[in-house]
Amino acid sequence: MAVSSNSIRSEALAHHLCSKTPCLIGFSSRNRGSKLFFTRTSNFRRARRSFHVKNVSSVPDQKLQDSTTDIDEASGDLGSFAPDAASIASSIKYHAEFTPLFAPEKFELPKAFFATAQSVRDALIINWNATYDYYEKMNVKQAYYLSMEFLQGRALLNAVGNLELTGAYGEALNKLGHSLENVASQEPDAALGNGGLGRLASCFLDSLATLDYPAWGYGLRYKYGLFKQRITKDGQEEVAEDWLEMGNPWEIVRNDVSYPVKFYGKVVTGSDGKQRWIGGEDIEAVAYDVPIPGYRTKTTINLRLWSTKVPSEDLDLHAFNSGEHSKACEAQSNAEKICYILYPGDESTEGKILRLKQQYTLCSASLQDIVARFERRSKGHVKWDDFPEKVAVQMNDTHPTLCIPELMRILIDLKGLGWKEAWNITQRTVAYTNHTVLPEALEKWSYELMEKLLPRHVEIIEMIDEQLVDDILSKYGTSNPEILVEKLNVMRILENFDLPAVVADLLAELQESKIDDPSEKLEIPDETAPTDEENEPEEEEDIDKKKDVTPEPSPAPPKLVRMANLCVVGGHAVNGVAEIHSEIVKEEVFNDFYELWPEKFQNKTNGVTPRRWIRFCNPKLSDIITKWTGTEDWVLKTEKLAELRKFADNEDLQIEWRKAKRSNKAKVASFIKEKTGYSVNADAMFDIQVKRIHEYKRQLLNILGIVYRYKKMKEMTAVEREAKYVPRVCIFGGKAFATYVQAKRIVKFITDVGATINHDPEIGDLLKVIFVPDYNVSVAELLIPASELSQHISTAGMEASGTSNMKFAMNGCILIGTLDGANVEIREEVGEDNFFLFGAEAHEIAALRKERAEGKFVPDKCFEEVKEFVRSGAFGSYNYDELIGSLEGNEGFGCADYFLVGKDFPSYIECQEKVDEAYQDQKRWTRMSILNTAGSYKFSSDRTIHEYAKDIWNIQHLEIL
């Protein structure tokens, strides 16, 4: 039972005022163990710190001493000792009383969470400040990671885990009447992301801090995030996320760090000949900082999130007092809504404008901040040519593309540099990570809209486009105008624009020279000469019809700005996120650019942090790994996981392994009961597909496979069913974008199938279908340790990498999937016998779609059987004609089975039969599970970050000792 609030208040005050009782302020480096530094509040002085620099380019280690701070001899040295529960409890009590966010009467779970988080934050702030004091002092090169998403998950357990204080905080909270697990469950997931893109960004920040790399993250502080998903009888329902309603104990608003951001207005030329962007709509971007602690290190880096507002004077007080309240608050409303929603619907013009405002706000505020830090560190001796030697900007996908013209604008318009110098600096500073091969995800913006909203940036983009045209001309020359025009049409940043005058004139001259040269005879049709058909006499009725019909002129295609092309042109490095993806990027997506600049293109296979995704979320398995490898070093050096291979057949290890998995499954069974009302058997196979709902990820293939399984079960006797099929709990999770109608149909279909199967008494526990609502990081941390089979079944060549596949393999889950994204590399590492492979390969996809378009595809009879079963109404009265219709026909939007569900279906069913066979042999299955964990060592984000630091950013380790 929780202790009384009155008791906490009196003890907190006594502890705070007593000079003999220490207050938590920091902790030691990884090399000196997990110790907290405490000091008497009456005589606190900052301690001397030393620093250690490790150069990634193998320069010998350097020892550096910070002499700026000394210990006050009169007050004595800082005492240090291992953290104890009493001291931590005292700190929690202090915050419950003196950092109040709740009424004082009770010390219930929400209040306990905030007080505990603030206690942990105290420890982080000391190291946070020390980290950046040192970066400022040393003027080191720093990486800045810009992303529209940071899918962080809960921070409390991650923070105390990285500080190695889990046990101490658990004991302290027990003394206060609560468990750490229950307190941590009060924390909402930060609604700053949606899927793999945002989770990757957060894994990278964890690794950057853990590996002592100087770096910042930059994003937007969304008030409501994407949305909270509810599952009703109608499928998915979206409601606003409420993660900030109770406040965020981790963030610190920096009221002294804000930057102006401009929209609209016009560009004028001053008397000095310089361009100036004036007028328009002005807002302010204010910094909110979140500490990101590393594991076993004092390094604590920063995630800076921008919130938007306008100055108080922008409130039209006269209008307000006149009763025109909406008009009076219009400026505030326009500014604040920029940071309301992640990915607002963009089908309307207003939605498109809002999205573009979001992207520019992120880029403008972040670049202004980066430039200001560079100037401050230069201490009055600014050398702009040194900017790329001190700054690396990584664009996570195309959302931050406006970094390129914004940096150019700052350098040219505000800092007075010339075009050539600014362009050289920009290209050396910026790099781009591509995350998709889907055409719709390679952003294109309306030129008209962008010109209206960001007029100066459009001018700069036009100049960059001219520069690109010159580069293409230099590369390909004019000897073959057809190839030249083809390259320009594909590679230019500006789409559906006339050719530049110099190129058009050149082509005209070439055309004329061919006409004048008898050896170059051109077949030019004489449009005035009558054809044979025209010589035929026309009937009078036909002549009258022609008089009445005036052909409609074809509408001109819209002028667009290709953001991905701008990324490639404006940066010095372009990387894919898995080996197969990077090859597709070079051979297909950006092949023309690869021919022009092959040195720009790299591969950086994604990774996941082993701290959050195994050490903290799966403690039972972590303990087993530590026991059998003989060390906990695998948490930082995941190559040590490979040592599990030599024990894969050990019976004792297998027994421990299965016991840990069974315990995790029992937790998930309780969670499913709580969230959905369904009871599932924890001894059944847990078969899981959790990820963003999208047609290319093929949740539809999975659920149709389940329907086929169910249909075959219904055709059997109970004895036959139990002999052929192992019990399965098929778990889905993920959000369909609010305006993605087909994805929402898939969610509805899954829930309808589940409602039918789960209530079928003939099937019982032999098959259950569960859709987990509002899938997020915290749910993933529960599901992944319990998983036994995980589905990564995207159409080959369409998944850039995937990171959930890495998390599942790391936790001993066996994958069923196509040769797509990181599946290829995972299969190589874990072994072909420990991966269930099916489906067409990436190099076959184009030909298979062509076969479909020509009407040559013959669907398998089992696939036709499943479709008819769905249409029969077996899963309710909802009309699934449009969903099933998308898998039929040979051409047309929303038809022709573009994602090859029907083609891969028989291969998928056959593969699932092999899964059943393998699971029946638990010794074999456990061996496969162990080898999956052993083979996942390559997929740590630590490895990925090392490669970024060395190959793209050229930054150094900087460990604070």
Side-chain angles (χ1 to χ4, degrees):
M1 180 178 293
V3 299
S4 73
S5 184
N6 287 336
S7 172
I8 286 179
R9 288 160 62 193
S10 58
E11 285 191 54
L13 185 58
H15 277 290
H16 180 61
L17 296 178
C18 179
S19 64
K20 293 181 180 180
T21 300
C23 292
L24 178 65
I25 64 162
F27 63 98
S28 74
S29 71
R30 65 167 62 110
N31 293 327
R32 297 194 297 188
S34 301
K35 294 182 178 180
L36 291 178
F37 289 121
F38 297 84
T39 184
R40 294 182 176 89
T41 56
S42 59
N43 58 10
F44 170 66
R45 296 290 185 272
R46 293 175 61 190
R48 183 187 303 274
R49 296 187 303 272
S50 61
F51 304 94
H52 182 204
V53 177
K54 294 183 287 184
N55 193 318
V56 293
S57 57
S58 300
V59 172
D61 288 351
Q62 308 169 51
K63 296 286 185 179
L64 298 165
Q65 184 71 29
D66 178 3
S67 60
T68 60
T69 57
D70 292 305
I71 299 170
D72 187 336
E73 297 298 334
S75 65
D77 196 359
L78 288 175
S80 66
F81 50 89
D84 59 84
S87 300
I88 291 175
S90 173
S91 175
I92 294 172
K93 291 175 184 180
Y94 170 77
H95 283 291
E97 175 65 14
F98 295 103
T99 317
L101 291 168
F102 297 84
E105 289 78 15
K106 297 178 182 179
F107 187 67
E108 295 179 332
L109 279 172
K111 185 174 184 177
F113 160 67
F114 273 84
T116 303
Q118 287 156 342
S119 167
V120 176
R121 194 183 72 175
D122 286 348
L124 298 183
I125 285 175
I126 296 297
N127 300 316
W128 200 10
N129 291 339
T131 300
Y132 284 98
D133 283 348
Y134 179 53
Y135 292 169
E136 290 283 318
K137 174 182 169 60
M138 295 304 298
N139 192 18
V140 297
K141 183 172 184 179
Q142 192 162 317
Y144 299 95
Y145 197 83
L146 272 66
S147 178
M148 288 294 286
E149 296 186 42
F150 286 93
L151 197 58
Q152 293 177 284
R154 291 171 175 163
L156 178 57
L157 291 181
N158 188 70
V160 298
N162 277 354
L163 299 178
E164 296 186 289
L165 296 176
T166 303
Y169 267 89
E171 186 179 348
L173 284 166
N174 284 338
K175 291 178 181 292
L176 298 175
H178 294 298
S179 72
L180 176 57
E181 183 178 1
N182 287 340
V183 168
S185 70
Q186 298 299 303
E187 180 175 8
D189 278 38
L192 299 171
N194 175 30
L197 182 82
R199 185 52 236 171
L200 176 76
S202 292
C203 281
F204 278 4
L205 292 187
D206 176 273
S207 287
L208 284 162
T210 296
L211 299 174
D212 304 302
Y213 282 118
W216 289 57
Y218 280 110
L220 295 181
R221 182 179 177 268
Y222 303 107
K223 185 173 182 179
Y224 302 111
L226 188 68
F227 57 81
K228 184 176 286 188
Q229 181 194 54
R230 291 178 181 164
I231 299 300
T232 70
K233 62 181 178 62
D234 297 318
Q236 173 180 293
E237 178 183 310
E238 305 89 24
V239 296
E241 181 59 74
D242 60 356
W243 77 287
L244 280 176
E245 284 190 0
M246 298 293 284
N248 179 3
W250 304 105
E251 69 183 10
I252 295 178
V253 59
R254 307 295 191 187
N255 289 311
D256 58 334
V257 181
S258 65
Y259 297 96
V261 178
K262 182 186 291 295
F263 306 108
Y264 303 109
K266 60 182 180 180
V267 180
V268 298
T269 303
S271 57
D272 55 2
K274 293 183 178 180
Q275 303 292 89
R276 288 182 176 83
W277 184 14
I278 63 171
E281 176 184 312
D282 296 310
I283 67 166
E284 287 184 22
V286 181
Y288 283 73
D289 287 351
V290 179
I292 308 294
Y295 178 68
R296 291 188 179 178
T297 175
K298 291 181 73 173
T299 298
T300 301
I301 65 172
N302 194 40
L303 171 58
R304 177 157 284 179
L305 303 171
W306 301 108
S307 186
T308 45
K309 67 174 188 177
V310 292
S312 300
E313 57 264 25
D314 282 13
L315 173 66
D316 189 339
L317 201 57
H318 177 75
F320 193 89
N321 288 330
S322 299
E324 299 179 90
H325 301 149
S326 297
K327 177 183 176 182
C329 300
E330 185 177 4
Q332 281 91 336
S333 175
N334 287 337
E336 289 172 2
K337 71 182 179 183
I338 292 172
C339 291
Y340 271 4
I341 302 293
L342 170 65
Y343 303 140
D346 62 352
E347 294 187 344
S348 66
T349 300
E350 291 77 12
K352 290 181 173 65
I353 290 171
L354 186 56
R355 275 213 192 184
L356 192 55
K357 280 186 172 183
Q358 287 184 331
Q359 294 187 4
Y360 179 61
T361 298
L362 170 63
C363 294
S364 180
S366 302
L367 262 294
Q368 289 182 73
D369 195 39
I370 291 167
V371 168
R373 291 170 58 77
F374 171 75
E375 290 181 311
R376 184 172 67 249
R377 290 180 179 185
S378 299
K379 298 177 181 177
H381 304 285
V382 177
K383 291 185 178 179
W384 287 107
D385 193 53
D386 290 343
F387 190 78
E389 306 304 320
K390 298 295 182 182
V391 171
V393 174
Q394 189 72 35
M395 301 183 297
N396 192 29
D397 215 351
T398 53
H399 307 128
T401 304
L402 289 168
C403 279
I404 293 167
E406 175 66 2
L407 183 54
M408 290 292 289
R409 182 189 73 85
I410 290 171
L411 294 175
I412 295 171
D413 294 0
L414 305 183
K415 305 303 175 184
L417 275 63
W419 173 270
K420 186 175 181 181
E421 185 182 5
W423 184 234
N424 177 269
I425 290 168
T426 298
Q427 285 190 304
R428 289 163 54 207
T429 299
V430 176
Y432 162 53
T433 298
N434 173 272
H435 283 279
T436 185
V437 300
L438 297 177
E440 66 268 24
L442 294 174
E443 285 187 297
K444 296 180 182 181
W445 282 103
S446 160
Y447 174 87
E448 181 183 1
L449 185 151
M450 187 176 284
E451 185 180 38
K452 180 181 179 183
L453 192 70
L454 302 169
R456 178 57 176 146
H457 295 77
V458 166
E459 289 186 348
I460 292 170
I461 289 169
E462 288 173 338
M463 295 172 73
I464 295 173
D465 186 65
E466 290 177 14
Q467 177 87 45
L468 174 61
V469 169
D470 291 341
D471 291 340
I472 295 170
L473 279 169
S474 298
K475 170 71 175 179
Y476 295 103
T478 58
S479 59
N480 192 327
E482 289 82 7
I483 289 181
L484 178 60
V485 171
E486 180 184 341
K487 295 293 182 184
L488 288 171
N489 286 337
V490 171
M491 297 174 70
R492 286 187 66 187
I493 298 164
L494 302 177
E495 182 177 343
N496 298 325
F497 276 69
D498 294 335
L499 290 170
V502 60
V503 177
D505 292 345
L506 179 62
L507 292 177
E509 290 175 10
L510 289 171
Q511 190 84 335
E512 289 176 6
S513 67
K514 287 187 177 183
I515 293 172
D516 294 339
D517 187 347
S519 65
E520 296 282 351
K521 292 184 179 180
L522 295 176
E523 296 289 338
I524 304 177
D526 183 356
E527 296 180 359
T528 61
T531 63
D532 290 340
E533 290 181 356
E534 288 172 337
N535 285 327
E536 292 289 331
E538 294 186 25
E539 294 183 12
E540 188 174 332
E541 183 180 348
D542 293 334
I543 295 173
D544 291 339
K545 283 183 180 179
K546 285 191 175 184
K547 287 179 181 177
D548 294 338
V549 176
T550 302
E552 291 284 337
S554 299
K559 293 182 176 181
L560 303 170
V561 180
R562 297 162 167 160
M563 306 303 273
N565 289 24
L566 179 55
C567 286
V568 176
V569 174
H572 66 90
V574 179
N575 72 277
V577 289
E579 287 178 359
I580 186 174
H581 171 237
S582 295
E583 290 305 305
I584 292 172
V585 164
K586 291 190 291 187
E587 295 173 7
E588 298 178 25
V589 182
F590 296 125
N591 179 253
D592 298 285
F593 289 105
Y594 178 65
E595 288 181 358
L596 185 60
W597 298 304
E599 70 283 354
K600 283 191 180 188
F601 289 82
Q602 302 183 18
N603 175 62
K604 295 286 173 280
T605 299
N606 284 341
V608 300
T609 167
R611 270 76 60 186
R612 182 180 287 269
W613 291 113
I614 183 167
R615 179 67 184 87
F616 303 148
C617 76
N618 199 346
K620 285 185 169 59
L621 188 62
S622 297
D623 290 344
I624 293 171
I625 294 169
T626 298
K627 173 184 173 181
W628 285 85
T629 61
T631 177
E632 204 175 45
D633 289 351
W634 61 267
V635 181
L636 288 169
K637 300 175 181 178
T638 50
E639 61 270 17
K640 292 186 178 295
L641 290 173
E643 294 180 18
L644 289 169
R645 286 172 174 157
K646 60 189 178 187
F647 305 115
D649 291 306
N650 186 287
E651 188 173 346
D652 291 336
L653 172 58
Q654 288 201 358
I655 291 170
E656 292 177 23
W657 201 270
R658 284 194 291 269
K659 184 178 179 182
K661 183 67 73 174
R662 177 60 173 74
S663 175
N664 291 328
K665 290 168 66 179
K667 287 183 180 179
V668 168
S670 298
F671 172 79
I672 289 172
K673 179 66 175 175
E674 176 190 347
K675 294 296 182 181
T676 70
Y678 290 125
S679 297
V680 300
N681 179 10
D683 291 316
M685 179 202 296
F686 277 25
D687 172 353
I688 298 180
Q689 186 181 20
V690 283
K691 52 185 74 220
R692 182 165 50 96
I693 308 296
H694 197 291
E695 287 173 278
Y696 89 82
K697 294 180 183 287
R698 298 204 295 192
Q699 286 92 350
L700 185 55
L701 174 60
N702 185 352
I703 191 62
L704 288 174
I706 293 169
V707 168
Y708 181 81
R709 186 183 189 91
Y710 175 63
K711 184 175 186 296
K712 292 304 173 186
M713 283 182 173
K714 294 289 286 181
E715 294 168 356
M716 296 177 179
T717 66
V719 173
E720 289 172 332
R721 281 196 292 270
E722 291 179 7
K724 181 174 177 61
Y725 295 107
V726 300
R728 283 206 201 192
V729 178
C730 300
I731 302 172
F732 294 83
K735 296 178 180 179
F737 191 66
T739 57
Y740 190 174
V741 175
Q742 193 74 323
K744 295 179 79 170
R745 287 191 186 115
I746 293 170
V747 174
K748 167 67 173 165
F749 183 44
I750 293 169
T751 58
D752 281 354
V753 170
T756 299
I757 293 176
N758 297 346
H759 291 101
D760 190 329
E762 289 185 359
I763 301 302
D765 284 342
L766 203 55
L767 182 61
K768 296 290 186 183
V769 179
I770 307 296
F771 194 99
V772 177
D774 205 36
Y775 177 69
N776 57 24
V777 175
S778 297
V779 175
E781 290 171 350
L782 189 66
L783 295 181
I784 290 173
S787 61
E788 293 176 285
L789 180 75
S790 182
Q791 308 221 18
H792 302 273
I793 56 178
S794 52
T795 310
M798 303 199 75
E799 183 74 84
S801 176
T803 51
S804 63
N805 47 8
M806 301 171 186
K807 297 163 195 165
F808 280 102
M810 197 174 276
N811 282 271
C813 180
I814 300 157
L815 309 187
I816 180 171
T818 54
L819 282 180
D820 196 28
N823 282 1
V824 178
E825 294 161 77
I826 290 173
R827 183 169 176 263
E828 289 173 358
E829 295 299 330
V830 306
E832 294 179 6
D833 293 338
N834 304 305
F835 185 106
F836 294 105
L837 178 67
F838 77 94
E841 297 184 27
H843 67 272
E844 301 174 308
I845 300 302
L848 289 171
R849 287 181 177 143
K850 184 171 183 285
E851 175 189 71
R852 184 67 178 246
E854 292 171 351
K856 298 177 181 178
F857 172 69
V858 178
D860 188 269
K861 67 175 184 178
C862 69
F863 186 60
E864 294 299 290
E865 185 182 333
V866 165
K867 290 192 297 181
E868 289 308 309
F869 187 49
V870 173
R871 284 192 166 117
S872 72
F875 303 105
S877 59
Y878 186 86
N879 187 336
Y880 281 107
D881 284 348
E882 289 186 87
L883 179 65
I884 300 303
S886 71
L887 306 173
E888 299 175 330
N890 296 319
E891 59 184 355
F893 179 76
C895 297
D897 192 11
Y898 184 77
F899 301 100
L900 304 181
V901 173
K903 175 65 181 178
D904 281 349
F905 189 78
S907 174
Y908 177 69
I909 295 300
E910 182 182 351
C911 194
Q912 287 285 15
E913 291 173 354
K914 294 177 182 177
V915 171
D916 279 349
E917 179 186 347
Y919 195 77
Q920 287 172 337
D921 182 351
Q922 277 294 290
K923 183 174 177 62
R924 174 192 171 192
W925 188 273
T926 307
R927 182 180 189 276
M928 294 170 70
S929 176
I930 293 168
L931 290 174
N932 266 265
T933 297
S936 67
Y937 69 92
K938 178 181 176 182
F939 304 103
S940 165
S941 53
D942 296 353
R943 183 263 317 152
T944 313
I945 285 299
H946 273 309
E947 293 183 4
Y948 272 101
K950 176 171 60 74
D951 299 335
I952 296 179
W953 302 335
N954 190 28
I955 60 174
Q956 301 174 332
H957 291 281
L958 291 164
E959 182 178 349
I960 300 179
L961 298 178

Coordinates of all heavy atoms in Angstrom, one line a residue, residues 500-527:
P500 N 15.7 24.3 -70.0 CA 16.4 25.5 -69.9 C 16.7 26.1 -71.3 O 17.0 25.3 -72.2 CB 17.7 25.2 -69.2 CG 17.4 24.0 -68.4 CD 16.4 23.2 -69.2
A501 N 16.7 27.4 -71.4 CA 16.9 28.0 -72.7 C 18.1 27.6 -73.5 O 18.1 27.3 -74.7 CB 16.9 29.6 -72.6
V502 N 19.2 27.4 -72.7 CA 20.5 27.1 -73.4 C 20.3 25.7 -74.0 O 20.9 25.4 -75.1 CB 21.6 27.1 -72.4 CG1 21.4 26.2 -71.2 CG2 23.0 26.8 -73.0
V503 N 19.6 24.8 -73.3 CA 19.5 23.4 -73.8 C 18.5 23.4 -75.0 O 18.7 22.7 -76.0 CB 19.0 22.5 -72.7 CG1 18.8 21.1 -73.2 CG2 20.0 22.4 -71.6
A504 N 17.4 24.1 -74.8 CA 16.4 24.2 -75.9 C 17.0 24.8 -77.2 O 16.8 24.2 -78.3 CB 15.2 25.1 -75.4
D505 N 17.8 25.8 -77.0 CA 18.4 26.4 -78.2 C 19.4 25.4 -78.8 O 19.5 25.3 -80.0 CB 19.2 27.7 -77.8 CG 18.2 28.8 -77.4 OD1 17.0 28.7 -77.7 OD2 18.7 29.8 -76.7
L506 N 20.1 24.7 -78.0 CA 21.1 23.8 -78.5 C 20.4 22.6 -79.2 O 20.8 22.3 -80.3 CB 21.9 23.2 -77.3 CG 23.0 22.1 -77.6 CD1 24.0 22.7 -78.5 CD2 23.6 21.6 -76.3
L507 N 19.3 22.2 -78.7 CA 18.6 21.1 -79.4 C 18.0 21.6 -80.7 O 17.9 20.9 -81.7 CB 17.5 20.6 -78.5 CG 17.9 19.8 -77.2 CD1 16.7 19.4 -76.4 CD2 18.7 18.6 -77.6
A508 N 17.5 22.9 -80.7 CA 17.0 23.4 -81.9 C 18.1 23.5 -83.0 O 17.8 23.2 -84.2 CB 16.4 24.8 -81.7
E509 N 19.3 23.9 -82.6 CA 20.4 24.0 -83.5 C 20.7 22.6 -84.1 O 21.0 22.4 -85.3 CB 21.6 24.6 -82.9 CG 21.5 26.1 -82.5 CD 22.7 26.6 -81.7 OE1 23.7 25.9 -81.6 OE2 22.6 27.7 -81.2
L510 N 20.7 21.6 -83.2 CA 21.1 20.3 -83.6 C 20.0 19.8 -84.6 O 20.3 19.1 -85.6 CB 21.1 19.3 -82.4 CG 22.3 19.5 -81.5 CD1 22.1 18.7 -80.2 CD2 23.6 19.1 -82.2
Q511 N 18.7 20.1 -84.3 CA 17.6 19.7 -85.2 C 17.8 20.3 -86.6 O 17.7 19.7 -87.6 CB 16.3 20.1 -84.6 CG 15.1 19.5 -85.3 CD 14.8 18.1 -84.8 OE1 15.7 17.4 -84.3 NE2 13.5 17.7 -84.9
E512 N 18.2 21.6 -86.6 CA 18.3 22.3 -87.9 C 19.5 21.8 -88.7 O 19.5 21.6 -89.9 CB 18.6 23.8 -87.6 CG 17.3 24.5 -87.1 CD 17.6 26.0 -86.8 OE1 18.7 26.4 -87.1 OE2 16.7 26.7 -86.3
S513 N 20.6 21.4 -87.9 CA 21.8 20.9 -88.6 C 21.5 19.6 -89.2 O 22.0 19.2 -90.3 CB 23.0 20.8 -87.6 OG 22.7 19.8 -86.7
K514 N 20.6 18.8 -88.6 CA 20.3 17.5 -89.2 C 19.4 17.7 -90.4 O 19.5 16.9 -91.4 CB 19.5 16.6 -88.2 CG 20.4 16.1 -87.1 CD 19.7 15.1 -86.2 CE 20.6 14.5 -85.1 NZ 19.9 13.5 -84.3
I515 N 18.6 18.7 -90.4 CA 17.7 18.9 -91.6 C 18.6 19.4 -92.8 O 18.4 19.0 -93.9 CB 16.7 20.0 -91.3 CG1 15.7 19.4 -90.2 CG2 15.9 20.5 -92.5 CD1 14.7 20.4 -89.7
D516 N 19.6 20.2 -92.5 CA 20.4 20.8 -93.5 C 21.4 19.7 -94.1 O 21.9 19.8 -95.2 CB 21.2 22.0 -93.0 CG 20.3 23.1 -92.7 OD1 19.2 23.1 -93.2 OD2 20.7 24.0 -91.9
D517 N 21.7 18.7 -93.3 CA 22.7 17.7 -93.7 C 22.0 16.6 -94.4 O 21.2 15.9 -93.8 CB 23.4 17.1 -92.4 CG 24.6 16.2 -92.8 OD1 24.7 15.8 -93.9 OD2 25.3 15.9 -91.8
P518 N 22.3 16.4 -95.7 CA 21.6 15.3 -96.5 C 21.8 13.9 -95.9 O 21.0 13.1 -96.1 CB 22.2 15.4 -97.9 CG 22.9 16.8 -97.9 CD 23.3 17.1 -96.5
S519 N 23.0 13.7 -95.2 CA 23.2 12.4 -94.6 C 22.3 12.1 -93.4 O 22.3 11.0 -92.9 CB 24.7 12.3 -94.3 OG 25.0 13.2 -93.2
E520 N 21.8 13.2 -92.9 CA 20.9 13.1 -91.7 C 19.5 13.3 -92.1 O 18.9 14.4 -91.8 CB 21.3 14.1 -90.6 CG 22.7 13.8 -90.0 CD 22.7 12.6 -89.1 OE1 21.6 12.2 -88.7 OE2 23.8 12.2 -88.7
K521 N 18.9 12.4 -92.8 CA 17.5 12.6 -93.2 C 16.5 12.3 -92.1 O 16.6 11.3 -91.5 CB 17.2 11.7 -94.4 CG 18.0 12.0 -95.7 CD 17.6 11.2 -96.8 CE 18.3 11.5 -98.1 NZ 17.9 10.7 -99.2
L522 N 15.7 13.3 -91.8 CA 14.7 13.1 -90.8 C 13.3 13.0 -91.4 O 13.0 13.7 -92.3 CB 14.7 14.4 -89.9 CG 16.0 14.6 -89.1 CD1 15.8 16.0 -88.3 CD2 16.2 13.5 -88.1
E523 N 12.6 12.0 -90.9 CA 11.3 11.8 -91.4 C 10.3 12.7 -90.6 O 10.0 12.5 -89.5 CB 10.9 10.3 -91.1 CG 11.7 9.3 -91.8 CD 11.3 9.2 -93.3 OE1 10.2 9.7 -93.7 OE2 12.2 8.8 -94.1
I524 N 10.0 13.8 -91.3 CA 9.1 14.8 -90.7 C 7.8 14.7 -91.5 O 7.7 15.1 -92.6 CB 9.7 16.2 -90.8 CG1 11.1 16.2 -90.2 CG2 8.7 17.2 -90.2 CD1 11.7 17.6 -90.2
P525 N 6.7 14.3 -90.8 CA 5.4 14.2 -91.5 C 4.9 15.5 -91.9 O 5.0 16.5 -91.2 CB 4.5 13.5 -90.4 CG 5.2 13.9 -89.1 CD 6.7 13.9 -89.4
D526 N 4.3 15.6 -93.2 CA 3.7 16.8 -93.6 C 2.3 16.8 -93.2 O 1.4 16.1 -93.7 CB 3.8 16.9 -95.2 CG 3.2 18.2 -95.7 OD1 2.7 19.0 -94.9 OD2 3.3 18.4 -96.9
E527 N 2.0 17.6 -92.2 CA 0.7 17.6 -91.6 C -0.4 18.1 -92.6 O -1.6 18.0 -92.4 CB 0.7 18.4 -90.3 CG 1.5 17.7 -89.3 CD 1.5 18.5 -88.0 OE1 0.9 19.5 -87.9 OE2 2.2 18.1 -87.0

